Each structure stands twice: as C-alpha cells, then as structure tokens.
Amino acid sequence: MKTLQHAWQRARRRRAAITLLLGLPWALAATALALRLSGFDIACVVATVSLLACAAFATARGRQLDRQWLQRQLDGSGTSEDSADLLFADATTLNPLQQRQRAHVLATLEQAMPELRPRWPHLTVVLCCIGGLAVALLAFGWPRSNPVPAAVHSATTSSVASAGPLRLQSTRLRINAPAYTGQATITQNTLDAKVAADSQLSWSLRFDRAPARAWLQFHDGRRLPLSERDGQWQAQDVARTPVLYRVVSEPALAETRLHRLDVVADRAPSVRVLEPTASLVLGTPGQRQWALRFEASDDYGVAAQATLSITTTQGSGENITFVKRSVTLAGSGEATARHFAHTLDLAALGAQPGNDVIAQLEVRDNHAPTPQTGRSSSVILRLPSAEVALGAELEGRIKKTLPAYFRSQRQIIIDAEALIRQRRTLAAEDFVKRSDAIGVDQRILRLRYGQFLGEESEGAPKPPPTSDLPTSDTPAADDHDHDDDHDHDADAGTHDAHGHDHGGKPANADTSPVFGSATDVLSEYGHTHDHAEAATLLDPQTRATLKAALDQMWSAEGELRQGRPEQALPFAYKALAFIKQVQQAERIYLARVGPELPPIDEGRRLGGDRAGLASRELPLAARTPPDPAIVEAWQRLGDDTGAPDLDALATWQQRNTAYLPDALDLAAAIEQLRIEPGCRDCRQRLRAQLWRALQRPLPQAMRRSAADAMGQRYLDALETQP
C-alpha cells in the first residue's frame, strides 16, 4: 500500500510541475509589459500576483488527481483486475473472498506498479517559453517613440517644458548596510530612512516624462546629480551624517517635499561586571581562586574573544612592584550580548597575603575597518596579610610602623639630584641656600624617625652621669645644639621632654641604660609619659636598623648644610636602604585614645571681630548673549510682513549644529519655508524652532517686597539706636 501511495504522490507532483512550467513564461511576459508601461512598482505587483496565480493553479491541477482518478488508472492498466475499489475499502467490511482478492491485487502492485505519472509535454513547454521570452523582449526592445528630426528637437523640448511641471511616478531607495552590522539589504519606496553609518544608498526615480536634468539637493548645500538609465534616474552615496534633502529637476517638480535621512552611529561596546558585585573585594585567608564574570553588549555584535588584563601588586611602600598578564577569553551567548567567565588561580599568579589582584576586561566589536573597544571597570581582590588577620581579633587600634614618612627620604634624594643638575645655572650663594634648605628637611625627617626610638626633642637637657649626680633638682648640663655633635643622637632618647631630672642611678649599678629600651628608661628615671609617642615597642633588629638610618641621615644632613649635595647623596641612599628594611618591621599596638582637638578660644565668640573674614561673593561667569541676527529673525517671523534671511539662518544652523537640541528639525523648518514662502504654518514652525534654539536667560533674584508701616518703624528704630 505504501508503494501505491508514493506512486500517487509522484503523479500529483508531476502534474503540478508541468502546470507551473507552462505558466512561468507568461508571468515573466506580464511583468516585463508592466515594467515597460507602468514602472517598477506596478511591475512588482504584477510579478507577485502572477507567481501566486501560477502556484495556486498548479496546486489545484495536482489535486485533481484524486482517488477516483487513481482507481480508473489502475483498472485501465489491468493490474488491479477491476478490483481497485477494494484497495480503498475498509478491510473489516469485506468478506473472505474480497479480502483474498484485495491481497492478491496488492501483491501484484508490489511486484509491477504501473506508471501513473503524466508524460512531460516537452513541445508545449518549449513553445510557452519561446512565447513568453518573445513578449518580454518585445516589451523591452520596442522603441518608445518615433525618432525626432534634429531640426525640430528644440521645438519639441520647448513644448515639453511648457506642458507643465514634472511629477514623480515612482521612487525607490536601496539601503545596503555595512557587512559587520549583519543587516540585510533593504529596498523601500519611501525616501525617508534611518540607516546605519557608512551604508551604501542607491536612489532610483522615475518621472512622468524625461527632465532636462535632475539632482538631490541637501540642506547643507551639497548636490548629488541624478543620471538617466533606461528611464530611471539613479544616484549613489554613502551615509555618514544625518541630512535633509529633496528632489530637484528642470523643469521643476509639481510637488517638492523634504526627506529626512537619519544616520545611526555605531556605539562602542559596553562591559558590565557581573561577579564580583563590588569593585573592591576583601579576600579570605587561604583563598586560592577568584571567579570573574562579565557581560559585554553592543548594538551590532561583540567579538567572540576578549582580553582579560590581570595586574598583581606585590610589596608595600616604596617596594611595590606590578606584574601584568593578559588572558584571552572566549565568550558565549548571542553576538549582541556575550558573557565571559574566568576563574583566576591565585597561586599561579604568585599572589601572596598582603597583595592586590586587579582585573579588567577589554572587548571589541565588529566595526570595520577599525574595531571599537570597550573596557570594564577594574575589580580588585585584596588578600589580607597575616598581621591583619591576627590584629582583627585584638582590642585597640592597629597602626603600621612608620606609616607616613617612607617617601620623604626619596624626595630629599630627588631634590638633591635636581640641585646638582642646576649647579651651573645658579649662583654660588643661591646654590648653598637651596642645599641648606634640603638639609633642614633632612633634619626634620631625622627627628621624626627619632621619635620611634624615644627621641622626644632635640637640644633638651641631658641627664648627668650617676657618679656625679647632685642631690638637688638643678640641671647638670646646659642646652646644646644637636647639630654640633653626631654622638648626641644616641643620647637624645634619655632626655626628658619637660626639661627636668627624675633622680639618679644607683651607685652599685654596673650596666648602662640600653638606648631606646622602655624598661631601662623607666628604671633609670622613674616614670614614663602616658601618650603614644613614648609607647613604641620595636624589636632589637628593627631598632638597630632604624638607628643606622638615623646615622646616615645625620651625615647627609651635615653635607647638605655645608653646600655639598654630591657628598650627601651616598649617605642619603644608605638611609633610604635602611628605611626599606624597616618597612618589614612588625606592627605595633597603640592604646585607644581620643582625638586631641585644639581648645576653643572663648574670647572670640560673639565679639564682633571681623578680622580675617573675606568677601563671600561668588564670581559671575560671563554668558554669551544670543546672536542678535537670530533674535531679529525670530521677531520678523512673528510679524506676517517680515521676511527673515533664510540663507543666514541656514549658515548659523550649520555652524551651531552641535549645540542645538534638534538641528535637523530646525533645518527642515528653514527649507520648508524656503520652498513655500507664503506658508503661514511654516513660519510659525520655524519661529518655534528658533525659540528652542535661543539660550535661556539666567534666573534673577527676586526683589524684597517693601516694608509696611510697622516694619518701617522697626527699621527706623534700628537706625536710631546708638
């Protein structure tokens, strides 16, 4: 039975194909005649209707080969033994004899199926093709009109010109977008369009009669000539900027209207960070991986691959180094919205506790010839150091050793090197003064570092030796300048900031105080100061390194103060090296103390003293006044008798395109009034557009209302008060 069904369907398809082949040449002939006589638009309609008619007629002809036709074909061939009706009857309603006959017929058909398909009418198909092609060739090749003698050509032209204005019969605009946009070629009958940047535009216009010449006039003054080809006036251009244009011909068109061509520029791709949700992420102790996810979107499509930039910071202070790497990622999802995911292996990156890992994704779109790039915001993973993790559970405030002074020594070196380079351009006296100023900076820096070793002041009284210590409170030593002797650095830690003596050392003591040791200082002088500067607790190695740095600073200071920066540089570099070692010192813990605010001067409160008060008047920024010509044009448009200078308005519009709210609307209003000078609605439309283009005046302060009788008496009483 399946063999019979397949043979039947093949016969119906053959019948439909024959009908379609016989009808297509005549559909082509009808389309050619419509194109020659009525233009492209009518030809498209005729072609569509003809093809639909051919398809419908072929389908109907194929369906005519129904079951009755199939029974007649089988019975006529003798294969079914006049029992073809048994093949389509219900087997349950047949008697045993009929069922046996039905099985016999099916077996016969399986062995020898008769040919049911109709024969190809080769001669008829050939004749139809020849006839259709002949009609089409005659439609295109038949001359339009009889040749006109050259003598009467000018007279004919003048008569055509006097016949009246031209009219557009058909318009067609073909838009071929750039390949990277993925947009299909569009053909439309309207001349207004919104296209992608760099699209290829092709115009094809047909007039009711041939004009002498025609062109496209753009609002910026540019002209695009139209060339005639087979009755079609054509032109090509590339869309780069939004424009307004109209069709112009000689003789003039009966109806001229503006057409708007909007150009959509390709935007750069945008990248959004999906994971992590915050730009700064604090890592957890022992973290080994960091998951990143991004989403990149673009109007026409994002490239399948992107670059993930990874920067690892190592060290702290002046020892920070940056290690940069790049990883190529493959995106997933649609071209306009791709997703990129990557998991960073922190161990492979060399990230250690206390380091930062910075990631940023860069994507490209499919713009040709130069792709546009887009970057995501940077996301930072901050791995906590062991000290931070330990100090998070302790009370009090944690402060790093030497937090604010690491870059000062390097700046002194930079200033000294710059001064050496300027030696030839400076007078000897100025050179010494600048070197001395750098030495003063070195001295201040040395004193700041000295505070961490217990040096509270410079030039304070020095405690006397224990063997000669008097019993009175009279100081045993005079003030002296710390700059005079290098050895005084070691003694500065034993000076008391208050300039008083706290007692002597026992006579039987055999050991001298250890420099900077908090316990020895307490045992030597009997008390300590309860503030953070005296509570520095450094390990012995760090204290020795810092002491060596202070020694080098002292030597550098002495050379700088004497005007010899070249001799000071070696000591300054050694001091910087020691400071870098101090950076690795352990953290110190300070007591929780409140801020020390300056006391309030009660004598200045409500005293009326205006010394030091400056005027609070803000400077007013000058605002460019509106162009008087534009204001005059706006006023003339309000007067029905006034005629503004449209050429000047068009020039001003082109010059201020970037600042206008909608430059094309203003240009359209100008061009429409140029086309229809007497149009009142066009004048009002242009006036409204100019009002939007004018700059708004700045808001002014409202004047205070005049005082009433009671208020005036109060003001007069204030004036008369002594």
Side-chain angles (χ1 to χ4, degrees):
M1 195 65 179
K2 291 183 178 179
T3 305
L4 180 61
Q5 290 289 342
H6 290 322
W8 184 19
Q9 294 298 328
R10 287 196 299 268
R12 299 179 74 172
R13 287 195 293 268
R14 175 70 64 85
R15 184 75 171 272
I18 292 173
T19 305
L20 191 61
L21 285 177
L22 293 176
L24 284 178
W26 301 111
L28 177 62
T31 303
L33 287 174
L35 182 62
R36 176 63 187 271
L37 299 177
S38 302
F40 178 79
D41 297 338
I42 302 300
C44 291
V45 175
V46 171
T48 303
V49 173
S50 301
L51 291 176
L52 291 176
C54 290
F57 188 62
T59 304
R61 289 276 294 170
R63 290 180 177 178
Q64 287 180 358
L65 305 183
D66 53 4
R67 183 180 300 177
Q68 288 75 16
W69 174 85
L70 180 60
Q71 294 178 8
R72 290 194 301 269
Q73 293 295 321
L74 294 178
D75 292 339
S77 64
T79 308
S80 63
E81 299 178 358
D82 294 335
S83 301
D85 56 338
L86 297 177
L87 301 176
F88 302 100
D90 189 2
T92 58
T93 61
L94 300 178
N95 57 40
L97 181 60
Q98 290 175 335
Q99 292 180 1
R100 184 176 181 180
Q101 179 65 16
R102 182 175 183 272
H104 173 70
V105 172
L106 287 176
T108 304
L109 291 176
E110 289 290 339
Q111 295 178 1
M113 176 64 67
E115 181 62 40
L116 301 178
R117 294 179 297 178
R119 293 182 179 181
W120 284 100
H122 299 288
L123 181 60
T124 305
V125 172
V126 171
L127 292 177
C128 288
C129 291
I130 293 175
L133 290 176
V135 173
L137 292 176
L138 288 175
F140 286 109
W142 196 268
R144 295 180 180 273
S145 59
N146 294 329
V148 180
V152 298
H153 182 268
S154 59
T156 305
T157 304
S158 61
S159 63
V160 170
S162 61
L166 291 175
R167 294 184 182 275
L168 278 173
Q169 283 188 340
S170 63
T171 59
R172 184 180 62 176
L173 176 60
R174 179 186 177 91
I175 305 170
N176 189 11
Y180 72 86
T181 62
Q183 298 179 356
T185 301
I186 301 175
T187 302
Q188 59 183 34
N189 296 330
T190 58
L191 298 182
D192 298 278
K194 188 175 184 179
V195 301
D198 299 329
S199 296
Q200 298 288 337
L201 305 177
S202 299
W203 288 270
S204 182
L205 310 177
R206 180 180 289 274
F207 300 92
D208 58 351
R209 63 178 188 274
R213 62 191 183 105
W215 65 91
L216 299 179
Q217 181 67 49
F218 295 92
H219 78 280
D220 56 1
R222 185 168 58 94
R223 286 188 177 187
L224 183 61
L226 293 168
S227 59
E228 193 272 338
R229 182 179 180 183
D230 297 334
Q232 300 283 341
W233 291 79
Q234 301 175 352
Q236 291 79 31
D237 196 13
V238 179
R240 291 187 174 88
T241 57
V243 291
L244 296 169
Y245 71 98
R246 67 179 187 271
V247 181
V248 183
S249 65
E250 291 182 359
L253 289 171
E255 296 180 2
T256 301
R257 61 179 295 265
L258 286 172
H259 304 282
R260 180 165 180 160
L261 189 65
D262 289 313
V263 178
V264 181
D266 184 13
R267 299 190 303 270
S270 60
V271 187
R272 185 165 61 96
V273 181
L274 300 180
E275 185 180 353
T277 57
S279 59
L280 177 60
V281 180
L282 298 179
T284 58
Q287 182 175 351
R288 297 179 178 272
Q289 293 181 340
W290 188 28
L292 301 172
R293 288 197 307 117
F294 303 89
E295 181 185 33
S297 59
D298 188 70
D299 42 7
Y300 296 123
V302 182
Q305 293 185 342
T307 302
L308 179 64
S309 300
I310 307 169
T311 304
T312 306
T313 63
Q314 298 177 351
S316 60
E318 293 180 347
N319 289 333
I320 292 181
T321 59
F322 300 90
V323 180
K324 296 184 179 180
R325 299 178 179 87
S326 297
V327 178
T328 301
L329 304 182
S332 61
E334 300 180 357
T336 56
R338 294 190 185 274
H339 290 79
F340 298 89
H342 186 67
T343 301
L344 296 179
D345 188 353
L346 301 180
L349 294 176
Q352 300 177 358
N355 298 160
D356 290 348
V357 180
I358 307 170
Q360 186 181 43
L361 185 70
E362 178 179 340
V363 300
R364 301 191 176 203
D365 62 4
N366 299 324
H367 187 274
T370 304
Q372 301 180 105
T373 60
R375 294 180 178 86
S376 69
S377 58
S378 297
V379 289
I380 305 173
L381 173 65
R382 181 157 294 168
L383 300 176
S385 61
E387 292 82 359
V388 172
L390 180 62
E393 302 177 358
L394 300 177
E395 277 189 25
R397 185 171 54 192
I398 301 176
K399 184 179 180 183
K400 241 189 162 181
T401 305
L402 308 182
Y405 313 123
F406 289 145
R407 295 190 182 275
S408 299
Q409 184 63 28
R410 174 167 291 181
Q411 186 62 45
I412 290 173
I413 295 174
I414 294 174
D415 295 343
E417 291 176 346
L419 180 61
I420 294 173
R421 290 193 297 268
Q422 299 175 1
R423 176 188 290 273
R424 297 182 179 180
T425 60
L426 295 175
E429 183 178 0
D430 295 337
F431 181 83
V432 173
K433 287 183 179 180
R434 293 183 57 177
S435 178
D436 180 73
I438 300 175
V440 172
D441 295 338
Q442 180 69 85
R443 175 176 177 270
I444 296 174
L445 180 63
R446 177 174 57 81
L447 294 179
R448 289 178 177 176
Y449 281 119
Q451 294 178 3
F452 292 92
L453 293 180
E455 297 179 5
E456 297 180 2
S457 63
E458 181 172 293
K462 180 179 179 181
T466 55
S467 58
D468 300 330
L469 185 65
T471 57
S472 65
D473 294 334
T474 304
D478 297 330
D479 293 347
H480 55 277
D481 191 358
H482 189 73
D483 296 335
D484 295 337
D485 188 5
H486 175 75
D487 295 336
H488 293 172
D489 270 349
D491 300 329
T494 61
H495 297 169
D496 188 7
H498 301 284
H500 58 272
D501 190 5
H502 299 289
K505 179 180 177 181
N508 57 355
D510 298 331
T511 60
S512 61
V514 179
F515 176 77
S517 175
T519 56
D520 291 337
V521 170
L522 288 173
S523 62
E524 178 72 14
Y525 301 108
H527 81 278
T528 184
H529 298 283
D530 189 16
H531 53 77
E533 294 180 355
T536 54
L537 302 177
L538 303 178
D539 61 281
Q541 183 179 359
T542 303
R543 294 178 61 83
T545 305
L546 184 56
K547 180 60 173 64
L550 292 177
D551 294 340
Q552 299 299 326
M553 288 183 185
W554 169 265
S555 302
E557 175 189 345
E559 299 295 341
L560 289 171
R561 297 295 292 269
Q562 298 179 43
R564 297 194 296 266
E566 294 88 352
Q567 288 79 359
L569 281 179
F571 301 106
Y573 274 110
K574 291 180 181 179
L576 180 61
F578 286 125
I579 292 174
K580 289 183 178 180
Q581 297 179 19
V582 174
Q583 283 183 294
Q584 309 303 324
E586 297 292 333
R587 295 180 182 270
I588 60 174
Y589 303 89
L590 305 180
R592 188 189 301 272
V593 294
E596 297 181 1
L597 301 178
I600 299 176
D601 186 4
E602 300 289 346
R604 290 178 54 87
R605 301 187 65 184
L606 302 178
D609 185 6
R610 301 180 60 86
L613 297 180
S615 175
R616 296 186 179 181
E617 295 182 359
L618 297 177
L620 297 179
R623 186 176 179 89
T624 304
D627 193 343
I630 305 303
V631 177
E632 182 182 358
W634 180 80
Q635 294 174 348
R636 287 188 177 184
L637 287 171
D639 186 4
D640 295 339
T641 60
D645 189 354
L646 297 181
D647 294 334
L649 282 178
T651 304
W652 179 83
Q653 181 268 337
Q654 296 174 14
R655 189 171 59 250
N656 298 273
T657 300
Y659 307 101
L660 296 176
D662 196 337
L664 283 186
D665 278 354
L666 178 58
I670 296 173
E671 294 299 321
Q672 194 63 36
L673 184 59
R674 193 192 303 274
I675 297 173
E676 304 178 37
C679 177
R680 184 179 181 86
D681 293 338
C682 299
R683 294 173 64 90
Q684 294 301 324
R685 179 186 174 191
L686 178 57
R687 194 165 189 262
Q689 292 293 334
L690 286 179
W691 177 256
R692 293 180 57 193
L694 291 175
Q695 295 182 355
R696 297 291 184 271
L698 292 175
Q700 301 294 332
M702 298 181 61
R703 293 184 60 86
R704 182 181 297 175
S705 58
D708 54 5
M710 182 179 295
Q712 189 61 41
R713 288 196 300 271
Y714 175 75
L715 294 177
D716 294 341
L718 290 178
E719 293 290 339
T720 58
Q721 289 294 328

